[in-house]
Every structure is written in C-alpha cells, then in structure tokens.
Amino acid sequence: MTATHDSARRTAKRLPATPMAGLIISGVLLAALNLRTAVTSVGPVLSEIQDGLGMSAAIAGVLTTLPVICFAVMGGVTPALVRRFGDRAVLLVALGATATGLILRAGIESVPVFLLASTAALAGGAIGNVAIPTIVKHHFPDRVGALTMTYSTSLALGSMLAASFTVPLEQLAGGSWQWALGLWAVPAIIAMVPWLFLTTRGDARRRATGANKPIRGITRSKLGWMMLIAFGSQSLIAYVMFGWLPEIMRDHGFSAAQAGVMLGVFTAIGVPVALITPILATRRPNQRALMVFLVSGYFVGMPALWLGGQSWVSWAGLVFTAISMGTFPLMLTLFVLRTRTAGGTAALSAFAQSGGYLMSGVGPILVGVLYEVTGDWTAPFCILLGSAVVHLFSSWTTTSDRYLEDELAAKAG
C-alpha cells in the first residue's frame, strides 16, 4: 500500500478534537468564507458603482480584471511571506487587508482610491489562496480530504452569499451600494478572531527547524507546469461562466431575473460538489478517474448551454457544467496531495495559481471580444470546449501518484 493511500485511509477518521485543532479549523473555515467576497460582491452592483463614481467603461474593465492580477501577483510572493513571518501571521494580515479594503472602498468617492482599496481587499484573498493549503498541509497532513472539503465548501458558500445578497443588502440600505459592499468587511473581521488567539510560536519553531524551507527549481518541474496549465484552463472556464452566463441566458430568451436565478443555481451547485470532491480525491493515490468524470460534464453541459435556447436543455446544461466545476476543489486538493511538505505545497500552489490566474484572465476578455465581433456564442463556446480539452490532458499528469519534491530531487541528482 502506498503512503498516499495509507494517508487517504487516515483521512476518513475524525478530525483531531484538541482545542488548538478546533481553533485552527474554525479559523480556516472563516478565512475561506472571505476569499472571494471582494470579487463576487462587485458584479451585482457594478452599474451602480459606475454611476456613483462616474467610472468609465474602461475603468470598469480594469476593476473586473483586478482579481486575476492580484491573485497572480500576490499568490506568487506568498510563499516568501510565509517563510519569513509564518503562515498564521500571514493569513491574519491578509484578512486584515481584506477587511480594510472593503471598508475603505465603501466610504470614498474617488475612483483611484476605490481601485486601490479593491486591490488591498483582493490581495488579502490572493494571499489566503496560498496560505490556507499550506496551513492544512502543516497542521493536518493526514486529514487533507476532510479539511480541503471544509474550506473549499466555505469558499464556495462565501462566493455564493456575496453574489446573491449584495443587491438585497443594497435595497435594505436604502439603495446604498457603498453599505452593501462595506458590510462584507464584517465576516472578514470575525474571521480574524481565531488567528488573533493563536500564538506564533508554532510558526517560529517551524521556521527554525527548516520544515518550510523554500523549494527551488519548480520551473523545471513537469508536474508544476501541468498543474499551472490545469489550474489556468479550469479557472478560465470558471471566470467566463461567472461573468457571461447571465448574458448567454438572456440571449436565449430568459428574462434578466431568470438569468440571475440561473447564475445563483449554478453557484449553489458548487457547494455540495465541493463537499464531496476532496474526500473522493483522497481515497485513492490516483485521481484520474475522478478528474475524467468531472471534466466529461463539460462536454455534455456546454453544448447544451450553447444550443439549448429557452428550454429545459439549457437548465440541464447548467447543472452538468456546474458539477464539472468540481475540478476547482479537486485542484485545491491536488496542491496538497502532490507534495510532501508544507513548503512544497506553498511553492506548488503559488506557482500554479499565479501563472494560472494570468492565463485565466484572458478568457472573459477574449469571449467578450469574440461575441462582439461575431454576434453569437459559437466562437466563445469553442474557446470553452477547447479549454476543457486542455484541462483534461494537463490533468493526466497532475492526478497521477507523484510528488513535486521527488521530481525535483531526481532532476538535481
């Protein structure tokens, strides 16, 4: 039996019930809830933000592109920050940056300051993207599936809540989009509490023992590059779907309200999928069958979304495509399963996410251009299906039973 399979069996056991473990788990859950609120709360009130700040369409385009830029840049530097300050302290500061940015952008009327505050909020989420898998690997190496399940579900839930409730919050606040955006700072502040109670002595000991030493040469790793391509192609599909799904459905003849409901359903399906996928992934040393199953849904769902029109076919396509989005929590799990150390997890996660988000950022822009030029969704869906093919082939490497550190050691030897 392989070490990975043995670890998978241990994953099925209950999480350790010590007070420290409980505090870390609650901190991870609360932090993950806030990783996307700064992103998904903007879209529903983007028109109001433009009107309120006198923001041009070009600047609005910059605002919608900021998430992938921040995720790419800050994700790349997070391993160095973790080595220097410790994962707990870095996550605490990241949550503070998110809360501060959300508060500041809700209380100003300057476009440049709004963009800077948004950058701070998004940078916090970007750092959390890398810091949380590192914390899971460090504190719960034998509970990867259970912890990844919990935080990826929390992440999906936070994304859904921010997307679904920002407009109702705006209405409750008397039409104030500033209050609607600023209120999302509250869960970020609450998420800081567990990390304020956790001491940094564990981080200091880990730095002293070298358990989180930097991983060198990841650019020479086939696994690293395949993880980057797999993560980027998956994220490209996700960002296009979140950004353009309502417009596609409205072109099919659905009303604006119906299209909004469809986006909400699409997002909500991700919650149970995120619950199941990491546990299934950790039960075997090889995750290829699970990945093929998930990706196959794209090849059923996206043609149905493309050609379904105003019928049940489009709804069926939405469900199949939403289930396939389970490739995202699977990728989060693979960052931990394909590494032996917390340092390896941080390096692989940062490399794949920084490059992958840059790759994915092209998707929504390219789809918009193609739709504007051609006047239909044929070319955009060809891009999406092509990305699914790329994701499938690149994932063939990332889902095999191998480790980043072993590959790099073999190359060095």
Side-chain angles (χ1 to χ4, degrees), residues 137-334:
K137 185 70 172 182
H138 173 211
H139 294 284
F140 307 99
D142 297 332
R143 303 294 188 270
V144 169
L147 260 294
T148 306
M149 174 196 73
T150 54
Y151 89 75
S152 60
T153 302
S154 184
L155 190 157
L157 182 62
S159 301
M160 182 188 69
L161 291 174
S164 302
F165 287 98
T166 297
V167 171
L169 286 173
E170 179 195 20
Q171 294 170 346
L172 287 173
S176 172
W177 60 265
Q178 292 95 335
W179 272 97
L181 292 182
L183 284 172
W184 293 110
V186 175
I189 293 170
I190 294 173
M192 296 172 66
V193 175
W195 301 105
L196 286 170
F197 279 102
L198 289 163
T199 68
T200 59
R201 278 182 291 175
D203 289 335
R205 285 197 301 270
R206 188 154 56 94
R207 292 197 302 273
T209 60
N212 196 32
K213 63 182 180 181
I215 300 296
R216 308 292 185 185
I218 193 168
T219 56
R220 296 183 286 107
S221 163
K222 178 182 178 182
L223 174 61
W225 281 106
M226 290 299 102
M227 194 73 80
L228 185 156
I229 294 170
F231 188 87
S233 54
Q234 186 279 332
S235 297
L236 186 150
I237 295 170
Y239 275 91
V240 169
M241 294 307 299
F242 286 129
W244 288 101
L245 181 62
E247 189 69 24
I248 295 169
M249 294 300 100
R250 292 180 70 174
D251 277 6
H252 280 342
F254 293 96
S255 68
Q258 288 173 323
V261 170
M262 294 177 86
L263 179 60
V265 171
F266 182 84
T267 308
I269 291 172
V271 176
V273 173
L275 276 168
I276 298 169
T277 302
I279 293 296
L280 294 177
T282 54
R283 287 183 175 176
R284 294 181 180 275
N286 186 307
Q287 295 78 35
R288 282 177 177 168
L290 178 58
M291 180 64 79
V292 170
F293 170 78
L294 290 172
V295 177
S296 64
Y298 285 133
F299 300 110
V300 176
M302 288 195 288
L305 284 174
W306 173 17
L307 304 170
Q310 193 178 5
S311 71
W312 66 269
V313 176
S314 290
W315 278 101
L318 181 146
V319 172
F320 275 103
T321 306
I323 292 172
S324 290
M325 297 295 288
T327 52
F328 177 70
L330 179 54
M331 290 297 302
L332 295 180
T333 310
L334 291 173

